[in-house]
């Protein structure tokens, strides 16, 4: 039995006392399983028909599925920083995969520990500063430089093993099995409630080893065993805008992700098929956790939540990876089941990962700080609309400041509308999508609704002073790059020429170095 996505098991003394007449001595266990790059639209109809995800489906039937759950930043580290801190990324200055939370930052897991929980974290955490490759950092710092360089390998597929090959992502399986053993052998005997976090790397694409040590993750790898879980005939080839009609930031992303050349329909369908098969493997890892809880008699006393740090475009909008506000990248899974939750509940209210922190605190009866960016999900889980309307907004915010996008990006999702603006709001065209009629997000209708865009922009500015934040990121990028360049001395030209963009860079290194020097010397 296996599992793939992010799962979070949460029970609250306050909620249990309200709903199940539990006492303070019967606090729930909390288990969170978080995957990487899982498209949230696969957790409900019609996406759930494309690939068999039995354990995700189990959570949906037993508890609640959030139909409009979003990441607060569509890239690994900043997204996880928001989830662990309960704060929007501009508040913690989690600008990219290198700059996130301090090592001593108090997460909700520390709050649980201080309140009598035994806590355990396994697998991918990825929310503190200082990690990730030099190439990833430099690409983020130099995104304002006016050149186009391919930063990734062309997306590709890799079929390994045979019809009996189950464990493709060996590292994730090892960590998952460790979590399952701990549940079976240790958790049941604890004298206090426990909180377990399991972080997976799947279905994030694999590094393309043939491209060398600086390679990005452009390989979609699976086995025939997992391909059998996918209904290839139901996989649609997404529509693309012509390159000359793309938004300039989207075009930059497409080019730097090495997706601007030709792809056949079969190539695109293969990539999407392999991605869905990787999701099935991740779902099986979730199953290992569910089975371990069930075998240990803990399933009924544990709240289970399933989510991910971001999605995966899988060739939608002529891109793979994330770093975009399109649905494939920003829409994440969020399913919660456990004591006090209603079976087969579908929640349409937009929510985001910063909501997890206050939810956990309310669950254990700890006062929720007023300065958190998120709001507890408990009113939505227990269908108290009056309370929900009083305490939570009808919008969610996502922002992006990292590589593969040449401007800070801000997305406001409210009702049927998705509003996106860039940098200080005056450079790149803003975007407005009506998700009720344009699920593929191909028709930017901003010019048709100027009054609505003005209203949404005022709302966005009341949440985040985005021109000021964009300028702060710009100055941070310059300072970081300048310090890095100085630290290399005479090695600078050699090092920068051999990062992930080396194929393009080495065609004209003097031109690209000059472009960077001009950017560094600019007054802005």
């Amino acid at each position: 039995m296996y599992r793939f996505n992010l799962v979070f098991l949460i029970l609250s003394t306050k909620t249990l006392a309200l709903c199940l007449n539990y006492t303070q001595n019967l606090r729930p266990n909390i288990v969170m399983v978080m995957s990487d790059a899982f498209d949230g639209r696969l957790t409900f109809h019609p996406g759930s028909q494309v690939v068999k995800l039995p354990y995700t489906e189990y959570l949906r039937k037993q508890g609640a599925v959030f139909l409009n759950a979003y990441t607060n930043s569509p890239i690994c580290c900043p997204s996880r920083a928001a989830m662990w801190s309960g704060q929007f990324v501009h508040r913690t200055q989690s600008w990219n995969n290198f700059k996130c939370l301090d090592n001593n930052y108090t997460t909700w897991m520390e709050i649980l520990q201080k309140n009598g929980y035994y806590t355990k974290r396994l697998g991918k955490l990825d929310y503190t500063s200082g990690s990730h490759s030099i190439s990833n950092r430099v690409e983020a710092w130099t995104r304002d430089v006016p050149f186009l360089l391919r930063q990734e390998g062309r997306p590709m597929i890799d079929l390994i093993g045979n019809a009996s090959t189950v464990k493709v992502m060996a590292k994730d399986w090892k960590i998952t099995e460790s979590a399952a053993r701990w549940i079976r052998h240790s958790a049941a005997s604890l004298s206090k409630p426990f909180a377990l976090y399991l972080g997976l790397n799947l279905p994030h694409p694999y590094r393309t080893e043939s491209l060398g040590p600086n390679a990005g993750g452009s390989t979609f790898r699976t086995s025939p065993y997992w391909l059998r879980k996918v209904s290839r005939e139901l996989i649609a080839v997404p529509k693309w805008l012509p390159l000359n009609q793309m938004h300039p930031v989207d075009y930059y992303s497409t080019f730097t992700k090495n997706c601007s050349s030709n792809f056949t329909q079969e190539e695109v369908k293969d990539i999407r098929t392999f991605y869905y098969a990787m999701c099935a493997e991740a779902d099986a890892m979730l199953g290992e956790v569910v089975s371990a809880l069930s075998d240990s008699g803990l399933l009924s006393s544990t709240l289970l939540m399933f989510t991910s740090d971001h999605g995966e475009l899988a060739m939608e909008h002529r891109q793979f990876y994330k770093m975009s506000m399109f649905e494939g990248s920003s829409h994440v899974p969020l399913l919660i089941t456990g004591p006090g939750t209603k079976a087969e509940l579908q929640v349409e209210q937009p929510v985001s990962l910063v909501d997890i922190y206050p939810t956990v605190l309310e669950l254990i009866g700890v006062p929720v700080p007023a300065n958190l960016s998120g709001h507890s999900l408990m009113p939505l889980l227990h269908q108290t609309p009056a309370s929900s309307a009083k305490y939570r907004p009808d919008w969610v915010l996502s922002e992006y400041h990292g590589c593969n996008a040449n401007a800070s990006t801000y997305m406001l999702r409210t009702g049927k509308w998705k509003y996106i603006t860039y940098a200080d709001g005056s450079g790149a065209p803003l975007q407005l999508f009506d998700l009720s009629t344009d699920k593929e997000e191909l028709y930017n209708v901003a010019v048709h609704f100027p009054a609505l865009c003005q209203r949404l922009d005022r709302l966005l500015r009341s949440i985040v002073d985005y021109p000021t934040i964009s300028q702060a990121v710009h100055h941070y990028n310059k300072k970081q790059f300048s310090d890095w360049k100085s630290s290399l001395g005479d090695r600078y030209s050699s090092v920068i020429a051999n990062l992930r963009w080396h194929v393009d860079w080495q065609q004209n290194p003097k031109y690209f170095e000059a472009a960077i020097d001009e950017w560094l010397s600019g007054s802005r």
Side-chain angles (χ1 to χ4, degrees):
M1 306 175 65
Y2 317 89
R3 138 193 189 306
F4 155 78
N5 283 0
L6 158 28
V7 177
F8 185 93
L9 299 147
I10 310 174
L11 277 188
S12 146
T13 50
K14 183 176 179 181
T15 302
L16 293 178
L18 277 171
C19 301
L20 300 175
N21 297 317
Y22 279 25
T23 69
Q24 290 288 339
N25 294 324
L26 289 174
R27 293 179 298 170
N29 304 310
I30 298 172
V31 178
M32 179 176 207
V33 181
M34 185 170 207
S35 69
D36 192 313
F38 195 89
D39 184 345
R41 300 169 299 175
L42 294 177
T43 62
F44 50 84
H45 184 82
S48 57
Q49 294 181 333
V50 175
V51 54
K52 294 178 181 178
L53 304 171
Y55 297 102
T56 303
E57 179 71 2
Y58 169 81
L59 296 186
R60 189 187 67 78
K61 288 185 176 180
Q62 296 299 314
V65 56
F66 290 80
L67 303 178
N68 295 294
Y70 289 87
T71 179
N72 299 106
S73 189
I75 194 171
C76 304
C77 192
S79 173
R80 292 166 189 266
M83 185 276 289
W84 283 113
S85 69
Q87 299 281 3
F88 292 139
V89 299
H90 66 269
R91 291 189 176 183
T92 59
Q93 299 184 359
S94 300
W95 303 137
N96 53 53
N97 269 346
F98 178 66
K99 173 69 171 65
C100 283
L101 301 182
D102 295 334
N103 288 327
N104 60 352
Y105 197 98
T106 299
T107 70
W108 50 259
M109 190 69 93
E110 278 76 45
I111 301 294
L112 288 174
Q113 189 173 24
K114 291 178 181 178
N115 283 273
Y117 272 74
Y118 183 94
T119 61
K120 190 174 184 66
R121 285 181 265 206
L122 295 170
K124 187 171 186 175
L125 296 174
D126 203 17
Y127 65 90
T128 55
S129 296
S131 186
H132 291 275
S133 70
I134 289 294
S135 194
N136 186 284
R137 302 173 200 176
V138 173
E139 291 156 10
W141 297 335
T142 59
R143 64 188 191 147
D144 289 338
V145 181
F147 54 45
L148 276 174
L149 295 164
R150 289 172 291 177
Q151 301 171 7
E152 306 286 350
R154 180 182 167 97
M156 57 181 290
I157 60 172
D158 182 25
L159 184 64
I160 69 167
N162 53 43
S164 300
T165 303
V166 173
K167 298 178 181 180
V168 177
M169 174 41 108
K171 184 177 180 180
D172 274 357
W173 278 109
K174 183 177 180 180
I175 294 167
T176 299
E177 289 163 354
S178 177
R181 282 194 304 271
W182 182 83
I183 292 170
R184 288 188 171 94
H185 299 149
S186 301
S189 61
L190 290 172
S191 59
K192 58 174 68 174
F194 67 87
L196 170 65
Y197 167 88
L198 172 63
L200 303 177
N201 201 66
L202 273 179
H204 190 292
Y206 295 77
R207 290 180 68 251
T208 304
E209 304 291 345
S210 61
L211 297 179
N214 288 314
S218 56
T219 296
F220 292 81
R221 178 177 297 140
T222 193
S223 71
Y225 179 90
W226 297 112
L227 284 177
R228 292 186 304 178
K229 311 295 182 182
V230 182
S231 298
R232 183 181 173 89
E233 69 279 4
L234 298 180
I235 296 176
V237 174
K239 297 177 182 177
W240 292 347
L241 292 175
L243 288 171
N244 62 3
Q245 293 181 24
M246 294 180 73
H247 187 278
V249 176
D250 295 331
Y251 176 79
Y252 177 90
S253 298
T254 289
F255 192 96
T256 59
K257 291 176 181 178
N258 206 353
C259 291
S260 59
S261 57
N262 293 329
F263 288 83
T264 67
Q265 288 202 348
E266 283 304 300
E267 281 183 283
V268 173
K269 200 162 188 175
D270 282 344
I271 290 169
R272 294 175 67 76
T273 301
F274 275 55
Y275 168 68
Y276 294 141
M278 293 161 67
C279 291
E281 185 178 1
D283 178 82
M285 295 176 195
L286 169 61
E288 289 291 299
V289 175
V290 172
S291 296
L293 289 168
S294 179
D295 294 345
S296 305
L298 298 169
L299 188 57
S300 63
S301 60
T302 303
L303 193 82
L304 172 62
M305 183 188 297
F306 163 79
T307 190
S308 182
D309 56 354
H310 50 74
E312 164 61 55
L313 286 162
M315 300 311 293
E316 293 182 17
H317 302 279
R318 205 186 186 103
Q319 296 181 39
F320 75 108
Y321 250 5
K322 52 274 186 179
M323 300 111 164
S324 164
M325 295 303 170
F326 289 126
E327 288 290 282
S329 167
S330 64
H331 198 141
V332 297
L334 182 59
L335 299 102
I336 302 176
T337 186
T341 60
K342 182 180 179 181
E344 298 190 70
L345 177 65
Q346 294 190 351
V347 181
E348 294 189 5
Q349 170 77 37
V351 300
S352 65
L353 294 180
V354 291
D355 294 330
I356 288 174
Y357 195 118
T359 301
V360 174
L361 266 56
E362 181 175 343
L363 284 170
I364 67 171
V366 172
V368 178
N371 67 339
L372 291 182
S373 300
H375 300 266
S376 174
L377 300 170
M378 297 313 299
L380 300 177
L381 285 171
H382 296 289
Q383 298 182 295
T384 52
S387 176
S388 175
K390 181 179 179 181
Y391 290 114
R392 76 175 298 117
D394 62 355
W395 50 263
V396 293
L397 170 72
S398 188
E399 56 190 293
Y400 183 68
H401 309 285
C403 60
N404 293 113
N406 58 343
S408 286
T409 308
Y410 305 86
M411 183 270 280
L412 194 68
R413 170 71 203 276
T414 179
K416 67 180 184 177
W417 299 107
K418 178 184 284 190
Y419 177 75
I420 306 170
T421 190
Y422 300 88
D424 64 359
S426 64
L430 58 85
Q431 292 171 297
L432 181 70
F433 297 104
D434 180 350
L435 297 185
S436 67
T437 60
D438 179 23
K439 296 186 183 303
E440 293 181 294
E441 298 170 286
L442 292 173
Y443 304 101
N444 179 12
V445 297
V447 295
H448 302 296
F449 297 94
L452 174 62
C453 289
Q454 291 174 6
R455 179 174 66 81
L456 292 175
D457 196 73
R458 286 195 298 270
L459 174 58
L460 177 61
R461 288 172 187 259
S462 73
I463 302 163
V464 52
D465 181 1
Y466 68 81
T468 299
I469 294 300
S470 297
Q471 191 67 4
V473 177
H474 177 77
H475 289 309
Y476 162 84
N477 287 340
K478 275 192 173 183
K479 176 66 164 57
Q480 291 295 307
F481 183 86
S482 181
D483 290 349
W484 174 75
K485 178 182 178 183
S486 297
S487 73
L488 293 174
D490 294 340
R491 297 187 300 119
Y492 166 70
S493 294
S494 175
V495 172
I496 198 168
N498 287 284
L499 300 180
R500 287 195 295 202
W501 54 32
H502 67 277
V503 174
D504 287 351
W505 184 282
Q506 292 175 2
Q507 293 177 11
N508 197 344
K510 290 183 178 180
Y511 169 82
F512 297 122
E513 282 196 40
I516 288 179
D517 290 341
E518 184 177 351
W519 164 69
L520 286 175
S521 63
S523 59
R524 293 195 61 206

